[in-house]
Amino acid sequence: MKNKQLSERQIIELIEKDADIILPLTNGEPHKLLDILEDNADALTNVKIHQLLALQHRKYMEGAFPGKLKHVSYFLSGATRKMFHQGLVDLVPNHFHEMPKILRQSTNLSMIMAVASPMDEYGYFSLGTQADIVSEFIGKVPFLLEVNKHMPRTFGENQIHISQIAGFVENDRPLFEDIAPPIGEKDMKIASYVAGSIQNGDTLQIGIGSIPNAVVSLLKDHRHLGVHTEMFVDGIVDLVEAGAIDGTQKFTNKGKIVATFAHGSNKIYNFLHNNPAVQFLPVSIVNDPREIAKEERIVSINATTEVDLFGQCASETVAGKYYSSTGGQADFARGVRFAKEGKGFVCMTSTAKNDEISRIKLSLAPGSVVTTSKNDIDTIVTEYGVAKMFGKPISERAKQLISIAHPKFREELTFEAKQMGFI
């Protein structure tokens, strides 16, 4: 193992001109290896670093190393958002499940840098909280690992043998914790509508945010729930401990919790360590709508920021300005449509800015990007009720959406809808 532990100089010598370096999401981000790249940027030529949802803001994102290091984003975060709006970071549109395909076709796939748990007695490292966009390249693309004792050892298609890596460094850095936002009264009202449609034995996909967290909090008395989700969140641990999740009625990976990455508090990371009940699989499997549909009773729970009267959801822009990216919302919107008894919920509070702005509008704000199309949307939920979209004509969609808008905006929306001939 010792001859695989690399010095700073040896690492830089592995980076070729015009290299495309791929990083995992969130806690898979290798801080020490990125430090080495920045500290030795003068020795590099036109190196691009490709990543979704970066955790740490870095100088190369500011364009500090022109012609040396550049960041390419596939999902903006607080670390990259400002730089994107300043034209310093590229953003590539994508469906999450197609990311490995995009990387194969659009990059050199020169190297993957990732955090891993320490090697076990059989010579295997685990990518821990990750499988995401990188694990399907194990054995096909050179890996440089940052071994961290705080990374939990997990299972699935995220095991990499020492013979399959170009080398490693060590960096025992505590994992980043993302504490879930507080659940408000409106969140709980929305959650009550969604939870009422979830049956014992359903399989869940749980998105990011306070509303999906609220839904999870209402499911502790359910039984035989399964999980097939892109992101493993804190609430899943709570449901396992409450006896609500056992996966025994799943149609694929029976008895297993399936995810492609995990992000949250230390409660998650402690739960995941050496836990064979959780399987981390590549995003090209977890988020493929055809794979999702194999879970015949899949229930998808996601959030959006804005909906128009057609039912189009703008989930990656805020007031017409780019905020994130598509992620897996569209993947699961399609997947539940293919599933025999699939249900897809897209949730939001009815207003923004202290009830000054309606999130339900005649037309999306200028500059908004459609994340989930009008043809894929199933059900939209606010604190005022549930609007069924799938298979409904535009007139019925408009009426239902107006009925779940904040009361102060309903008259105006009705007037606008009539002016446009929607109702």
Side-chain angles (χ1 to χ4, degrees), residues 35-67:
D35 287 344
I36 289 171
L37 293 184
E38 286 194 324
D39 291 345
N40 295 273
D42 287 344
L44 304 175
T45 303
N46 194 34
V47 174
K48 294 185 177 68
I49 299 175
H50 302 260
Q51 188 182 16
L52 296 86
L53 203 60
L55 279 183
Q56 183 176 350
H57 177 75
R58 288 187 167 271
K59 290 181 181 179
Y60 67 80
M61 297 171 181
E62 302 174 357
F65 309 104

Side-chain angles (χ1 to χ4, degrees), residues 340-374:
K340 187 176 180 180
E341 298 180 52
K343 300 174 185 176
F345 295 94
V346 175
C347 308
M348 63 178 185
T349 54
S350 64
T351 59
K353 291 192 174 181
N354 296 317
D355 296 339
E356 293 178 16
I357 298 174
S358 176
R359 293 185 188 273
I360 296 175
K361 300 183 177 184
L362 176 71
S363 302
L364 299 176
S368 294
V369 172
V370 175
T371 303
T372 303
S373 79
K374 70 185 190 308

Side-chain angles (χ1 to χ4, degrees), residues 25-42:
L25 284 70
T26 61
N27 277 306
E29 182 179 304
H31 296 274
K32 184 173 182 177
L33 289 173
L34 292 176
D35 287 344
I36 289 171
L37 293 184
E38 286 194 324
D39 291 345
N40 295 273
D42 287 344

Side-chain angles (χ1 to χ4, degrees), residues 196-232:
S197 296
I198 296 173
Q199 307 297 316
N200 290 336
D202 285 349
T203 292
L204 308 178
Q205 179 261 325
I206 305 162
I208 301 173
S210 58
I211 295 173
N213 289 340
V215 174
V216 168
S217 74
L218 297 178
L219 300 178
K220 292 180 181 178
D221 290 331
H222 281 60
R223 289 296 177 263
H224 309 304
L225 295 174
V227 176
H228 181 107
T229 190
E230 65 182 70
M231 186 169 97
F232 188 108

Side-chain angles (χ1 to χ4, degrees), residues 53-224:
L53 203 60
L55 279 183
Q56 183 176 350
H57 177 75
R58 288 187 167 271
K59 290 181 181 179
Y60 67 80
M61 297 171 181
E62 302 174 357
F65 309 104
K68 303 295 184 179
L69 278 175
K70 181 178 175 64
H71 182 79
V72 181
S73 179
Y74 299 81
F75 194 103
L76 298 178
S77 68
T80 56
R81 199 170 290 123
K82 181 179 178 181
M83 300 305 105
F84 167 74
H85 290 297
Q86 293 178 358
L88 299 172
V89 166
D90 288 331
L91 176 64
V92 180
N94 65 92
H95 290 306
F96 197 10
H97 83 278
E98 292 185 321
M99 272 300 305
K101 181 178 180 180
I102 290 171
L103 294 172
R104 280 194 297 268
Q105 294 184 352
S106 304
T107 77
N108 295 320
L109 274 176
S110 310
M111 179 173 290
I112 291 169
M113 294 184 173
V115 179
S117 66
M119 188 177 70
D120 68 13
E121 64 267 35
Y122 306 107
Y124 284 92
F125 303 90
S126 164
L127 297 181
T129 56
Q130 315 300 130
D132 63 57
I133 65 174
V134 300
S135 68
E136 73 176 63
F137 298 119
I138 291 172
K140 302 172 185 176
V141 175
F143 272 69
L144 270 179
L145 297 183
E146 183 169 306
V147 178
N148 184 346
K149 69 180 183 182
H150 296 286
M151 179 62 83
R153 174 169 297 282
T154 63
F155 302 96
E157 295 183 22
N158 66 346
Q159 313 296 300
I160 183 166
H161 193 264
I162 190 168
S163 64
Q164 296 171 315
I165 69 171
F168 72 92
V169 297
E170 293 180 336
N171 185 26
D172 291 330
R173 174 191 175 110
L175 299 190
F176 178 82
E177 284 194 90
D178 196 353
I179 306 302
I183 296 173
E185 184 179 339
K186 291 180 181 179
D187 299 329
M188 290 303 296
K189 184 65 175 176
I190 294 167
S192 69
Y193 293 124
V194 177
S197 296
I198 296 173
Q199 307 297 316
N200 290 336
D202 285 349
T203 292
L204 308 178
Q205 179 261 325
I206 305 162
I208 301 173
S210 58
I211 295 173
N213 289 340
V215 174
V216 168
S217 74
L218 297 178
L219 300 178
K220 292 180 181 178
D221 290 331
H222 281 60
R223 289 296 177 263
H224 309 304

Side-chain angles (χ1 to χ4, degrees), residues 310-328:
F310 294 113
Q312 299 181 117
C313 297
S315 307
E316 56 202 272
T317 48
V318 176
K321 192 171 183 180
Y322 237 111
Y323 188 82
S324 54
S325 191
T326 303

Side-chain angles (χ1 to χ4, degrees), residues 206-268:
I206 305 162
I208 301 173
S210 58
I211 295 173
N213 289 340
V215 174
V216 168
S217 74
L218 297 178
L219 300 178
K220 292 180 181 178
D221 290 331
H222 281 60
R223 289 296 177 263
H224 309 304
L225 295 174
V227 176
H228 181 107
T229 190
E230 65 182 70
M231 186 169 97
F232 188 108
V233 296
D234 282 55
I236 294 172
V237 180
D238 296 333
L239 290 183
V240 172
E241 292 176 346
I245 290 174
D246 63 19
T248 56
Q249 296 185 22
K250 291 181 71 183
F251 291 82
T252 65
N253 302 288
K254 195 176 293 289
K256 301 294 185 182
I257 295 170
V258 170
T260 198
F261 75 104
H263 189 65
S265 72
N266 280 328
K267 177 169 68 175
I268 287 179

